[in-house]
Amino acid sequence: MSGSKILVVDDESDITELITLYMERDGFVVHSTDNGEDAIKLARELQPDMILLDISLKSIDGFEVCRQIRTISNVPILFISCKSDDIDIIHGLAVGGDDYMTKPFSPSQLVARVKAHLRRQSVNRQNLAAREHDEVLRFDGLVIDLPGRTVHVGEKEVFLSTKEFELLVRLAKSPNRAFALDDLYTIVWGHDSMGDTRTLMVHISNLRKKIEPDPTNPIFIVTVRGIGYKFNIKEGTGNVQR
């Protein structure tokens, strides 16, 4: 984890300096900018391991920055913002953010959150490489290629963020099993994550918009009332190929 590249995008220089100080103290390599357009360019050129992204920026806001980065990268993006309303949090996650922290925050807590994301990402990659080599999940109208990390709905490939892909794989590998909200959040975000299940619910909503024929009446990711979610398939309509 030491040496991981972190891109900090914030127009408050004192915040950027504080984050940089704490991140570098833990061995991270920090790059920063206060400009949205520059952030997109740096994300492409630097290929950072994680991005810390404010919403209020020069030229274009953080929502649009995230939306554009998501067309070229699935790097984990953590929004850091003084906007704490649910609508802002939901919007940030809906455009492709993986997590959200509100200002003011403890720098040490931010570092812990970053480490949790990077650690979880590393574990998931190792698990995919070790246990899911050449594995493809096929369902009626939906194909999930685990080693290629691609998803096709019919003939069309759909782009998923890292957390969206991990959620879909976790659910699809245990079809018809009901997952509690807290359990599913812990499985994907990790035991040491410090978010809440609103993050999970927004990601589920995003997934439905991308893979369901009718997101308002889902056939794959269905709600289990009083429990959480499950990946729903009829007998004989799904299989795994190696």
Side-chain angles (χ1 to χ4, degrees):
M1 189 174 301
S2 178
S4 296
K5 291 183 292 186
I6 307 297
L7 176 59
V8 180
V9 187
D10 198 305
D11 64 353
E12 296 183 72
S13 59
D14 54 340
I15 296 293
T16 299
E17 290 173 4
L18 185 62
I19 292 174
T20 300
L21 175 64
Y22 274 78
M23 289 291 172
E24 290 183 340
R25 182 181 298 174
D26 273 74
F28 293 102
V29 178
V30 181
H31 302 268
S32 64
T33 180
D34 61 359
N35 185 284
E37 292 179 349
D38 289 343
I40 298 168
K41 180 180 178 182
L42 288 172
R44 182 183 294 108
E45 295 176 352
L46 295 174
Q47 296 186 12
D49 297 291
M50 190 162 181
I51 298 175
L52 308 182
L53 179 61
D54 191 14
I55 293 175
S56 301
L57 298 170
K58 299 176 181 177
S59 68
I60 56 177
D61 65 26
F63 294 139
E64 181 60 25
V65 171
C66 182
R67 188 180 293 108
Q68 292 194 35
I69 289 176
R70 277 289 168 257
T71 67
I72 60 173
S73 172
N74 62 1
V75 60
I77 296 176
L78 169 61
F79 277 102
I80 49 174
S81 175
C82 59
K83 297 185 177 183
S84 59
D85 292 341
D86 280 357
I87 187 64
D88 295 306
I89 297 173
I90 291 171
H91 188 44
L93 299 175
V95 297
D98 294 283
D99 207 348
Y100 198 107
M101 286 187 73
T102 56
K103 300 176 182 177
F105 51 77
S106 163
S108 58
Q109 185 182 52
L110 175 63
V111 172
R113 186 83 68 94
V114 169
K115 287 182 176 179
H117 275 280
L118 294 178
R119 183 160 47 246
R120 190 67 185 174
Q121 184 181 47
S122 176
V123 169
N124 285 333
R125 285 174 176 172
Q126 292 171 11
N127 288 342
L128 283 173
R131 294 183 295 177
E132 299 171 347
H133 181 64
D134 293 336
E135 187 172 295
V136 178
L137 307 178
R138 298 181 184 276
F139 305 95
D140 187 16
L142 177 67
V143 178
I144 309 169
D145 182 339
L146 278 72
R149 297 185 71 84
T150 60
V151 174
H152 283 80
V153 177
E155 299 298 319
K156 180 182 178 181
E157 181 177 353
V158 295
F159 182 85
L160 303 185
S161 71
T162 300
K163 286 296 185 287
E164 289 168 358
F165 185 81
E166 291 171 7
L167 265 176
L168 179 60
V169 170
R170 174 57 64 180
L171 290 166
K173 285 178 69 66
S174 301
N176 297 326
R177 171 187 169 184
F179 287 88
L181 291 177
D182 289 337
D183 291 343
L184 192 56
Y185 180 87
T186 299
I187 288 170
V188 177
W189 273 264
H191 290 281
D192 48 2
S193 291
M194 294 168 283
D196 58 47
T197 53
R198 287 180 302 176
T199 300
L200 169 64
M201 290 186 285
V202 173
H203 279 76
I204 290 291
S205 176
N206 291 344
L207 268 176
R208 285 172 168 167
K209 292 174 183 177
K210 294 178 180 181
I211 71 169
E212 299 283 1
D214 179 5
T216 63
N217 186 30
I219 60 175
F220 290 118
I221 302 177
V222 299
T223 300
V224 182
R225 190 175 299 277
I227 300 177
Y229 302 101
K230 71 175 181 178
F231 189 87
N232 184 57
I233 64 170
K234 296 180 181 179
E235 189 71 25
T237 61
N239 64 77
V240 178
Q241 294 188 354
R242 295 181 184 275

